[in-house]
Amino acid sequence: MKRPFSNNPARPTSPESSPPCSPHIFPHDDDDKEMLQVQRGSDELLSQTGAVSNGSVMSPAPNHADNNNDAKKVKLDTKNPGAPSRVIHIRNIPNEVTEAEIVHLGIPFGKVTNVLVLKGKNQAFLEMSDEVCATTMVNYFTNCTAQLRGRAVYVQFSNHKELKTDQTHSNAQNPSAQAALQAAQALVNQTDTQGGPNTVLRVIVEHMIYPVTLDVLYQIFSRVGKVLKIVTFTKNNTFQALIQYPDVVTAQAAKMTLDGQNIYNACCTLRIEYSKLSNLNVKYNNDKSRDYTNPNLPTGDPALDSALAIGGMPFTGMPLAGVTPTAAALGAAGIRLPGQPSPNCVLLVSNLNEEMVTPDALFTLFGVYGDVQRVKILFNKKDNALVQMSEPHQTQLAISHLDKMKTWGKQIRVTLSKHQTVQLPKEGQPDAGLTKDYSNSPLHRFKKPGSKNYQNIYPPSATLHLSNIPPTVDEEQIKEAFTHAGASVKAFKFFPKDRKMALIQLGSVEEAIAALIKMHNFQLSDSSHLRVSFSKSTI
């Protein structure tokens, strides 16, 4: 099966669980074991706290003359301690940290001009182009802990004006440091043309063979840090998005981590640059835009907004419970990725109420989450049944929403079956009506690719959404029909601007499940059959 967000082997990816306020750092292999010799006269290379003494710790041990040939000789011009400097001192770094990782800490704040990592001393120095950049960096990490490889590091001003290496032993002799500085310069040159680092990223999806939704982007970009807002749009026939982070460091980390990555294998490539906008103005929470800091925004759909107003339930904009956004996106388009093994579409449903269960009942209930093709109640164990869905992702939807749900007085279990298909009985073989084929049923909810019904899938709830109500049927008739079906009606409300739809609240989730099974496709008039689904709202 193709995996969302496939890694490009040429680009390392960062850990998924990095704190939102600290950039992701790429791990690198580094065999540089040089000892560092600090010239006598340097009065501060370590913390101003004095926890570690300066000269005795930093100077190499005597009788190591052979190592001195490969050592860096560093000259540091001192100034008053504690005052702003363009040289930044970073303490408590992991032993294996690289120059590139140190440089990455400084890139969001401006041009990095030099770097020195003291191997085995758990500290490093970063030289910025000016004091303004350095001050911005120190101030930022005063309020937000920096991290390298999962370890908290401490960022402060150095006591030195600049970081110098002598001509013989400069960073030109250290390939990893040189490469890190060159990469930093290239990144600064690139961002200069785009307005510099920003909290808002512009994301272009190239080679979009498979659909990419707002929820897919949220899932991927949330791996780097907290996503505040997303706006998606199509420009020049290309799917694009604007994604806002809370700070420039997280946005920088997302750009460095995700630019050039593929969402799916060999396609849907992310191209990321900085937007000229510093803040996104999101008016609606729907499948095109979302403000995760304000769940109470309208959807822009008058009928849906009316229903939400009735129920008092805000639109959260979150992906379907228990289902990855990627699965939902592919399901909405009715796509099975080419080349992937044929996943199992058959569910095993157990602990059913033998007195109540029928193939039609399971077809209706599981049909809320996918198009049921076949149902088989096991002849020798009638509290077990096999339910075959049309697509693999629909089985996951059904499992996440129906497993352990109390139905007909028993908590049913829903898992994947070992069977690949549900076999129909051979011709002439007695079956007692326990196996039925629904492949040509007119009641399938998702037979059209990209069906809007995928956007209205919710867990079982005590409130049901009713649609296709004819104008000749009033509230009392509907309530009477549900009461006759064994439900206790607690509340009822027509949609204000569309009387073809209504919400009905029943006594419990279990009652609502039973009522949906009985009332979906219930004939209300000569030409109208009721459509019933679970609602996310209450009355």
Side-chain angles (χ1 to χ4, degrees):
M1 179 179 294
K2 293 187 184 295
R3 297 184 296 108
F5 186 50
S6 61
N7 292 332
N8 183 336
R11 294 177 54 90
T13 56
S14 58
E16 292 186 12
S17 57
S18 182
C21 62
S22 61
H24 283 246
I25 303 301
F26 303 148
H28 293 271
D29 292 328
D30 186 22
D31 295 326
D32 181 11
K33 302 298 182 183
E34 292 180 338
M35 289 186 64
L36 294 167
Q37 177 180 2
V38 179
Q39 192 173 19
R40 290 176 71 96
S42 298
D43 63 350
E44 179 267 321
L45 279 180
L46 290 173
S47 166
Q48 297 173 22
T49 64
V52 183
S53 62
N54 294 335
S56 62
V57 173
M58 299 305 303
S59 299
N63 302 322
H64 284 188
D66 291 342
N67 287 330
N68 289 343
N69 293 329
D70 299 324
K72 293 177 184 173
K73 294 183 180 179
V74 180
K75 297 178 181 179
L76 293 163
D77 295 331
T78 64
K79 64 181 291 186
N80 294 331
S85 166
R86 66 190 185 98
V87 179
I88 293 171
H89 182 209
I90 305 169
R91 297 182 291 117
N92 198 41
I93 67 173
N95 290 333
E96 68 278 10
V97 82
T98 66
E99 286 84 355
E101 294 173 80
I102 299 299
V103 169
H104 286 163
L105 279 181
I107 287 175
F109 305 98
K111 183 179 179 181
V112 178
T113 54
N114 209 345
V115 62
L116 171 65
V117 175
L118 301 181
K119 297 290 184 181
K121 306 302 181 183
N122 301 106
Q123 57 189 306
F125 291 86
L126 194 65
E127 183 184 84
M128 307 299 289
S129 60
D130 55 56
E131 286 187 6
V132 174
C133 298
T135 301
T136 303
M137 179 175 176
V138 171
N139 289 344
Y140 178 81
F141 286 121
T142 299
N143 300 314
C144 178
T145 303
Q147 289 204 2
L148 291 172
R149 302 200 180 195
R151 178 192 288 190
V153 299
Y154 305 101
V155 178
Q156 63 191 54
F157 290 117
S158 168
N159 283 351
H160 305 277
K161 290 182 180 180
E162 54 186 326
L163 184 61
K164 288 184 178 180
T165 55
D166 61 25
Q167 295 299 316
T168 305
H169 301 284
S170 68
N171 273 335
Q173 305 300 317
N174 184 343
S176 58
Q178 186 181 29
L181 291 170
Q182 289 176 348
Q185 184 58 49
L187 186 58
V188 169
N189 291 340
Q190 179 186 25
T191 57
D192 283 345
T193 64
Q194 300 169 0
N198 192 5
T199 57
V200 179
L201 299 176
R202 179 170 175 244
V203 180
I204 300 170
V205 183
E206 298 178 346
H207 312 300
M208 197 171 80
I209 298 176
Y210 308 120
V212 175
T213 66
L214 182 149
D215 284 335
V216 169
L217 293 174
Y218 179 80
Q219 180 193 34
I220 292 171
F221 281 81
S222 291
R223 295 179 180 184
V224 180
K226 182 179 180 180
V227 173
L228 300 184
K229 302 174 184 178
I230 300 180
V231 175
T232 64
F233 57 95
T234 301
K235 184 177 182 181
N236 300 327
N237 295 320
T238 303
F239 180 77
Q240 302 186 29
L242 296 173
I243 300 177
Q244 182 174 343
Y245 283 105
D247 55 68
V248 75
V249 174
T250 312
Q252 174 72 42
K255 182 179 186 301
M256 290 168 49
T257 305
L258 300 174
D259 186 29
Q261 296 285 0
N262 297 326
I263 299 178
Y264 302 105
N265 290 343
C267 68
C268 299
T269 305
L270 296 172
R271 298 299 177 196
I272 305 173
E273 59 190 42
Y274 293 108
S275 169
K276 295 178 181 178
L277 300 173
S278 58
N279 184 57
L280 298 181
N281 182 20
V282 177
K283 297 181 179 179
Y284 302 110
N285 281 339
N286 53 34
D287 60 348
K288 300 295 183 186
S289 64
R290 204 156 301 167
D291 183 345
Y292 295 94
T293 68
N294 185 3
N296 297 311
L297 289 178
T299 66
D301 182 333
L304 183 55
D305 287 335
S306 297
L308 294 174
I310 294 170
M313 292 284 286
F315 181 82
T316 63
M318 296 306 293
L320 303 176
V323 184
T324 63
T326 301
L330 293 177
I335 289 176
R336 178 179 295 169
L337 300 180
Q340 73 181 44
S342 179
N344 198 346
C345 293
V346 180
L347 296 166
L348 172 64
V349 187
S350 56
N351 201 37
L352 290 160
N353 185 324
E354 295 183 34
E355 304 299 321
M356 301 294 294
V357 66
T358 64
D360 286 347
L362 293 178
F363 166 77
T364 302
L365 177 58
F366 282 79
V368 172
Y369 302 107
D371 292 338
V372 177
Q373 300 299 303
R374 293 176 180 177
V375 176
K376 182 182 188 71
I377 297 173
L378 304 188
F379 184 80
N380 294 323
K381 196 170 176 144
K382 292 186 174 60
D383 62 347
N384 281 250
L386 299 176
V387 178
Q388 182 176 332
M389 312 296 284
S390 63
E391 291 289 338
H393 71 273
Q394 295 175 355
T395 62
Q396 297 302 321
L397 282 170
I399 290 172
S400 64
H401 290 307
L402 294 178
D403 184 39
K404 298 181 181 178
M405 275 294 164
K406 196 171 183 181
T407 308
W408 300 307
K410 301 185 73 174
Q411 189 181 65
I412 65 172
R413 295 305 312 269
V414 184
T415 60
L416 282 175
S417 168
K418 63 182 180 181
H419 298 284
Q420 294 296 314
T421 60
V422 172
Q423 298 293 332
L424 294 175
K426 295 179 181 180
E427 188 174 350
Q429 181 178 343
D431 182 66
L434 297 178
T435 306
K436 290 190 72 170
D437 182 21
Y438 297 94
S439 56
N440 296 317
S441 173
L443 297 180
H444 288 159
R445 299 175 188 246
F446 309 101
K447 54 188 174 184
K448 293 181 181 179
S451 170
K452 288 186 177 181
N453 286 335
Y454 273 108
Q455 301 172 20
N456 297 305
I457 292 178
Y458 305 108
S461 63
T463 305
L464 297 174
H465 179 277
L466 313 180
S467 60
N468 204 37
I469 302 172
T472 56
V473 175
D474 59 23
E475 175 180 337
E476 291 305 317
Q477 289 174 283
I478 296 175
K479 290 165 68 174
E480 182 181 351
F482 273 83
T483 301
H484 188 264
S488 54
V489 178
K490 301 299 182 183
F492 182 92
K493 185 79 172 180
F494 277 112
F495 278 47
K497 296 182 180 180
D498 189 353
R499 204 179 168 283
K500 292 181 180 179
M501 296 190 293
L503 296 176
I504 186 167
Q505 188 171 329
L506 306 181
S508 66
V509 174
E510 184 180 1
E511 277 190 23
I513 291 174
L516 182 142
I517 291 171
K518 287 188 177 182
M519 298 302 296
H520 183 62
N521 203 43
F522 181 82
Q523 188 167 355
L524 291 173
S525 67
D526 291 340
S527 58
S528 296
H529 289 73
L530 187 65
R531 296 290 179 261
V532 184
S533 58
F534 296 114
S535 172
K536 65 178 176 182
S537 303
T538 57
I539 302 175

